[in-house]
Amino acid sequence: FPVTIGSPRHPIPGEVVFYLNAALGDQDGVLRCRAVELPWRNSAALEEGDLIWVRGDVEAVTRDRNPITWGSSLFRRGVSGELRARFVSKPLARRPSWNTTLRERLKHLVFSASGQSEGSGLFLSMALGYQDLISLSVEKAFKRLGLIHLLVVSGYQVSLLFGFALSVFMLLPLRLLPTGRLARRLLYVGALLVASCYVFCIGLEMSAVRALVAAACLTAQVVSERGSSFAQRWGVALLMMEMIWPWCFFEIGVILTFAALFGIRLGARLGGSRGVKALIYVNSCVWLCTSLVI
């Protein structure tokens, strides 16, 4: 396990640079590592002294005749190679947590049903956040198409599961439950519990927690039966995110999420609640709000 030297730096947005003590052949050396800051690469959370697994392409650094080149600068600092990291992770604990054990059992069930194929890796990637099961060619293909966000578990999956659980609960016979308002409250609370279990299973990623907070705000409104405007729910959800992660508003994903929510509400107001007109207005307003952020 290489040992990191110094805290990771962010020379440009979306890229993390850190140094490792690593063995190259028969000699020990220092590697300068670069990694794209993605949710399944925990490179941004590394600290000095951490032991990590790392996989990637290494390019040796040699002394250059020109003393002012980048290679000469690295060589003078004792760097023996540059590593383009494709996978970065800390070693698993000896006693894995309950959610890790559950994820591993689900992975074995999927593999036993469909085999260790590319399709199984994609399914586990989108459903449970496994990112080391897909090939590099598939990852590059999704990156070229601009669909790399589909390979991680985000708020979309959490919202979809919450809505699906709520729909299923509404279809079940509720003879044992009291009718009326109490039954409606129990349906929303049950759907929230299902979504919460899913988030804790996949890990407390920020995008998933954002969707869970939004579902909790909606459930709280239904349970309390108090009227609230969109601005109130929007503001409470943002406040809860700030309480969980004080600097979350500086994350581009958080800003885009709340900008998209604002665009959905604005489009629904302008285009109505149903029909093609509403769809056009909602998509146009979401595109406009997120484009301003970008």
Side-chain angles (χ1 to χ4, degrees):
F1 303 104
V3 181
T4 57
I5 302 175
S7 300
R9 296 185 301 106
H10 298 73
I12 61 175
E15 185 177 75
V16 181
V17 174
F18 55 96
Y19 292 86
L20 301 177
N21 275 331
L24 291 177
D26 298 332
Q27 299 179 351
D28 293 337
V30 176
L31 292 180
R32 181 180 183 271
C33 300
R34 292 182 301 145
V36 178
E37 189 174 355
L38 295 175
W40 60 89
R41 296 180 184 141
N42 301 315
S43 49
L46 295 178
E47 297 179 355
E48 184 175 0
D50 286 341
L51 298 177
I52 64 171
W53 290 101
V54 61
R55 185 169 67 237
D57 302 317
V58 180
E59 183 178 353
V61 173
T62 57
R63 183 190 295 272
D64 198 340
R65 293 182 179 179
N66 189 347
I68 62 173
T69 61
W70 174 246
S72 299
S73 174
L74 291 178
F75 188 83
R76 288 193 297 270
R77 284 186 281 171
V79 177
S80 56
E82 284 194 282
L83 172 65
R84 185 67 178 178
R86 296 199 308 266
F87 178 74
V88 179
S89 176
K90 295 182 181 180
L92 293 176
R94 292 183 178 180
R95 293 183 179 180
S97 58
W98 66 268
N99 59 337
T100 302
T101 304
L102 179 60
R103 279 160 52 92
E104 288 296 317
R105 289 182 179 178
L106 292 175
K107 182 179 75 171
H108 289 307
L109 286 175
V110 172
F111 281 162
S112 62
S114 58
Q116 296 189 14
S117 60
E118 197 74 65
S120 301
L122 280 173
F123 173 77
L124 291 170
S125 173
M126 296 178 182
L128 296 178
Y130 277 101
Q131 292 302 325
D132 54 343
L133 301 178
I134 56 177
S135 63
L136 185 60
S137 60
V138 172
E139 183 179 328
K140 288 182 178 179
F142 273 81
K143 192 178 298 182
R144 291 193 192 100
L145 294 172
L147 301 175
I148 194 68
H149 59 280
L150 295 179
L151 297 180
V152 297
V153 176
S154 62
Y156 172 75
Q157 286 92 330
V158 178
S159 304
L160 189 65
L161 183 63
F162 177 80
F164 176 75
L166 187 61
S167 301
V168 170
F169 291 158
M170 288 182 176
L171 294 176
L172 294 176
L174 302 177
R175 299 173 183 174
L176 300 179
L177 295 177
T179 58
R181 298 176 180 179
L182 182 57
R184 186 166 181 262
R185 295 175 184 175
L186 292 176
L187 292 177
Y188 274 86
V189 171
L192 181 63
L193 290 176
V194 172
S196 301
C197 292
Y198 178 66
V199 171
F200 280 102
C201 177
I202 62 176
L204 298 177
E205 297 289 346
M206 185 179 291
S207 58
V209 173
R210 285 200 301 267
L212 186 62
V213 167
C217 291
L218 178 61
T219 304
Q221 179 192 354
V222 173
V223 171
S224 63
E225 293 187 345
R226 292 182 179 180
S228 63
S229 65
F230 169 81
Q232 288 176 319
R233 295 194 298 269
W234 190 87
V236 169
L238 181 58
L239 177 62
M240 292 178 66
M241 290 298 300
E242 288 284 346
M243 293 173 64
I244 298 173
W245 286 291
W247 298 101
C248 73
F249 195 70
F250 293 98
E251 294 285 341
I252 185 66
V254 176
I255 303 174
L256 285 173
T257 296
F258 284 92
L261 290 174
F262 179 79
I264 291 173
R265 181 59 178 177
L266 180 62
R269 277 292 184 90
L270 296 176
S273 58
R274 296 181 180 179
V276 178
K277 180 182 178 182
L279 181 64
I280 294 175
Y281 269 93
V282 167
N283 281 276
S284 300
C285 290
V286 170
W287 174 83
L288 177 62
C289 294
T290 54
S291 297
L292 290 175
V293 173
I294 293 173

